[in-house]
């Protein structure tokens, strides 16, 4: 068995967590198995009639690895705040730890990086997707993860956003998590346990790319990805802190940058092999349209922002990134005017969940506002649907990586 670096993944938080240990697991000198639960009580964890600061199970693993399910968690929310949000029971390899965060418990999965990636590439997209695409995804997911772990010790909590000078600029990233390495949802990268893993096929992908990462100038690449770039990818600074990386350029998602975009597809047969079931509910990922009446928009923004702008008079793009994504948007109301950013804050305020992207044009039709948009997600780095189409057309994973991360070097880290 190959040695794996361990990481901690925050799965979900709740006042009470129900779980099932599928194998005998040890904690505090006792052996546990079967259905169990723990709850938040008086700032600590109430479990098995006792009170703890941390509950950490050491579980037996078959053949000394964590490739098979060891425990399951009930009521795990996926797609938090997105339009596909739902709850699932999920099975996990590795070990289970329960910690206190605020007035809730958080379930944390401690697992080897490569075993973690088995689930990621099957959760982000479907395990039946083209193998070369899955290989490319394994490389960028591993690269992103290791880049975050390597810089974790250097990261400081970002101060809370402040409204200043008529502007409110905020972004979210991995460093928002202080008590574990990464989360399990779209905020980091999807990690939904073993239920979607097609074991033999996924294991072949992981084995064939084991330890491979993208590097640039001696550093592991902060390799980003989103569902659909809408034809043009975006730069890092449009979505997160004000720095840019040479390997995360804005580029046309087309062969040699010319012609129809790879991600411009309506091939339902191909997409059914690539997208998980809840993603197939969203087929207008390349071009989309959202409409609100003025009163609907005013109420929506008041509800989502917690700010009373009065009647919304206009939405004015102030600054766009090279893909056309709005980085700063002026909201003009009868009571208040404010410039907001970056792209995720804009998407959150203009939808009950998240607007598909901030790459949209604004027009008014009488008392109705129309947002004509492009793409699904932030658009930085690899375009998942575009890369899947490349895999379907016979591109090797190295070619997919060269397309989306120009100048980056594929190297074996371990």
């Amino acid at each position: 068995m190959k040695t794996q670096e361990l990481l901690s993944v925050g799965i979900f938080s709740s006042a009470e967590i129900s779980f099932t240990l599928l194998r005998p697991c040890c904690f505090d000198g006792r052996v546990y198995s079967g259905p169990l639960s723990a709850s938040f009580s008086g700032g600590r964890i109430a479990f098995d009639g006792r009170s703890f600061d941390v509950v950490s199970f050491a579980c037996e693993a078959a053949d000394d690895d964590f490739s098979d399910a060891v425990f399951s968690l009930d009521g795990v929310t996926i797609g938090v705040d997105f339009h596909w949000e739902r709850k699932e029971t999920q099975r996990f390899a590795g070990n289970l730890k329960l910690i206190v965060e605020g007035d809730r418990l958080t379930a944390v999965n401690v697992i080897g990086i490569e075993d973690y990636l088995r689930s990621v590439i099957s959760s982000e997209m479907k395990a039946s997707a083209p193998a070369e695409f899955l290989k490319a995804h394994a490389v960028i997911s591993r690269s992103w993860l290791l880049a975050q772990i390597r810089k974790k010790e250097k990261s400081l909590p970002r101060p809370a956003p402040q409204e200043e000078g008529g502007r409110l600029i905020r972004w979210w990233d991995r460093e928002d998590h202080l008590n574990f390495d990464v989360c399990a949802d779209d905020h980091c990268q999807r990690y939904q346990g073993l239920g979607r893993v097609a074991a033999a096929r996924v294991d072949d992908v992981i084995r064939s790319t084991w330890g491979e990462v993208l590097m640039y100038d001696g550093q592991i690449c902060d390799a980003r990805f989103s569902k659909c770039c809408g034809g043009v990818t975006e730069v890092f600074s449009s979505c997160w802190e004000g720095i840019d990386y040479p390997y995360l350029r804005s580029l046309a998602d087309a062969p040699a940058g010319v012609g129809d975009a790879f991600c411009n597809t309506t091939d339902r047969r191909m997409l059914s092999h690539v997208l998980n079931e809840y993603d197939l509910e969203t087929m207008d990922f390349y071009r989309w349209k959202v409409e609100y009446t003025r009163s609907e928009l005013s109420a929506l923004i008041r509800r989502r922002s917690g700010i009373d702008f009065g009647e919304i008079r206009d939405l004015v793009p102030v600054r766009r990134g090279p893909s056309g994504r709005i980085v700063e948007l002026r909201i003009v109301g009868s009571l208040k005017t404010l410039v907001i950013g970056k792209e995720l804050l804009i998407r959150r305020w203009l939808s009950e969940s998240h607007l598909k992207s901030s790459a949209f044009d604004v027009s008014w039709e009488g008392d109705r506002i129309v947002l004509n948009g492009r793409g699904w997600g932030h658009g930085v780095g690899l375009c998942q649907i575009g890369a899947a189409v490349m895999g379907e057309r016979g591109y090797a994973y190295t070619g997919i990586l060269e397309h989306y991360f120009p100048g980056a070097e594929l190297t074996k880290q371990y």
Side-chain angles (χ1 to χ4, degrees):
M1 173 187 152
K2 297 180 180 179
T3 301
Q4 302 181 51
E5 184 176 343
L6 294 178
L7 75 151
S8 56
V9 187
I11 307 300
F12 81 119
S13 299
S14 179
E16 182 173 359
I17 293 179
S18 297
F19 56 97
T20 300
L21 299 178
L22 304 174
R23 298 179 185 172
C25 299
C26 296
F27 169 66
D28 198 40
R30 301 184 185 184
V31 178
Y32 295 91
S33 63
L36 297 161
S37 66
S39 60
F40 177 84
S41 178
R44 306 186 79 201
I45 302 171
F47 173 69
D48 193 24
R50 294 174 290 166
S51 182
F52 302 95
D53 292 321
V54 177
V55 173
S56 184
F57 295 99
C59 302
E60 297 178 2
D63 301 324
D64 295 324
D65 75 2
F66 286 144
S67 59
D68 295 324
V70 173
F71 66 92
S72 65
L73 292 170
D74 298 332
V76 179
T77 303
I78 66 172
V80 177
D81 292 333
F82 285 90
H83 57 276
W84 63 89
E85 180 177 319
R86 63 204 64 190
K87 291 184 181 295
E88 295 183 336
T89 295
Q90 296 180 350
R91 296 179 295 111
F92 296 90
N95 285 322
L96 172 65
K97 180 167 69 172
L98 303 177
I99 62 174
V100 175
E101 291 193 303
D103 60 354
R104 300 160 73 85
L105 305 185
T106 297
V108 177
N109 184 196
V110 180
I111 190 168
I113 286 175
E114 300 296 325
D115 290 329
Y116 161 82
L117 290 172
R118 295 172 74 245
S119 172
V120 168
I121 65 172
S122 308
S123 303
E124 282 289 345
M125 304 294 270
K126 192 175 285 186
S128 58
E132 294 300 304
F133 161 65
L134 292 178
K135 290 178 185 178
H137 214 306
V139 171
I140 64 170
S141 290
R142 185 184 295 112
S143 301
W144 177 84
L145 175 67
L146 289 174
Q148 307 315 307
I149 291 176
R150 299 294 182 259
K151 70 181 183 180
K152 182 178 181 181
E153 293 181 357
K154 303 176 184 178
S155 298
L156 296 174
R158 190 166 46 253
Q162 300 293 324
E163 182 184 337
E164 184 177 350
R167 300 172 76 248
L168 178 62
I169 307 300
R170 182 178 181 182
W171 64 90
W172 289 261
D173 212 347
R174 195 279 317 151
E175 63 264 25
D176 291 296
H177 305 301
L178 302 178
N179 300 315
F180 43 84
D181 294 316
V182 292
C183 66
D185 209 44
D186 296 72
H187 178 245
C188 294
Q189 49 187 3
R190 291 180 185 175
Y191 174 67
Q192 297 168 352
L194 297 174
R196 295 180 174 85
V197 175
R201 195 165 193 274
V202 170
D203 287 349
D204 286 344
V205 168
I206 296 300
R207 278 194 297 267
S208 65
T209 65
W210 188 282
E212 289 186 351
V213 298
L214 290 175
M215 298 194 71
Y216 189 92
D217 196 23
Q219 301 293 319
I220 299 176
C221 292
D222 190 347
R224 302 286 168 138
F225 56 88
S226 65
K227 194 63 66 185
C228 177
C229 67
V232 182
T233 63
E234 189 51 79
V235 296
F236 187 91
S237 61
S238 293
C239 306
W240 299 286
E241 61 262 45
I243 59 175
D244 279 314
Y245 299 103
Y247 54 84
L248 291 177
R249 307 174 195 169
S250 179
L251 51 85
D253 186 32
V258 178
D260 288 339
F262 289 120
C263 59
N264 183 12
T265 179
T266 56
D267 185 346
R268 291 195 68 93
R269 180 199 61 80
M270 188 276 292
L271 291 171
S272 68
H273 291 298
V274 169
L275 298 177
N276 284 306
E277 289 73 16
Y278 49 86
D279 286 332
L280 285 170
E281 299 168 9
T282 306
M283 293 299 293
D284 58 341
F285 48 78
Y286 187 69
R287 295 291 183 268
W288 49 267
K289 182 167 72 172
V290 170
E291 300 183 39
Y292 301 112
T293 65
R294 193 182 300 275
S295 61
E296 287 172 341
L297 179 65
S298 302
L300 172 67
I301 293 177
R302 183 185 309 114
R303 187 164 58 250
R304 296 290 284 167
S305 69
I307 299 172
D308 186 4
F309 286 84
E311 181 182 76
I312 299 299
R313 302 286 173 78
D314 208 356
L315 301 178
V316 183
V318 175
R319 183 164 68 92
R320 293 182 183 268
S323 75
R325 283 168 170 78
I326 301 173
V327 180
E328 295 184 10
L329 176 74
R330 179 179 291 111
I331 302 175
V332 182
S334 60
L335 300 180
K336 184 179 182 66
T337 294
L338 183 67
V339 173
I340 69 166
K342 294 185 176 182
E343 62 91 32
L344 186 55
L345 186 66
I346 295 169
R347 292 165 60 196
R348 287 183 172 183
W349 283 18
L350 296 184
S351 170
E352 293 291 358
S353 54
H354 288 59
L355 207 61
K356 290 187 179 70
S357 83
S358 69
F360 58 84
D361 298 317
V362 180
S363 62
W364 288 91
E365 297 177 0
D367 197 46
R368 298 185 67 82
I369 191 170
V370 180
L371 310 181
N372 286 291
R374 306 174 293 284
W376 179 3
H378 54 67
V380 179
L382 180 136
C383 170
Q384 290 175 312
I385 291 177
V389 170
M390 291 182 72
E392 181 83 358
R393 293 183 184 177
Y395 285 80
Y397 81 104
T398 52
I400 296 172
L401 295 171
E402 288 168 0
H403 173 63
Y404 289 107
F405 303 94
E409 180 182 1
L410 182 64
T411 62
K412 194 170 182 64
Q413 185 78 1
Y414 51 83

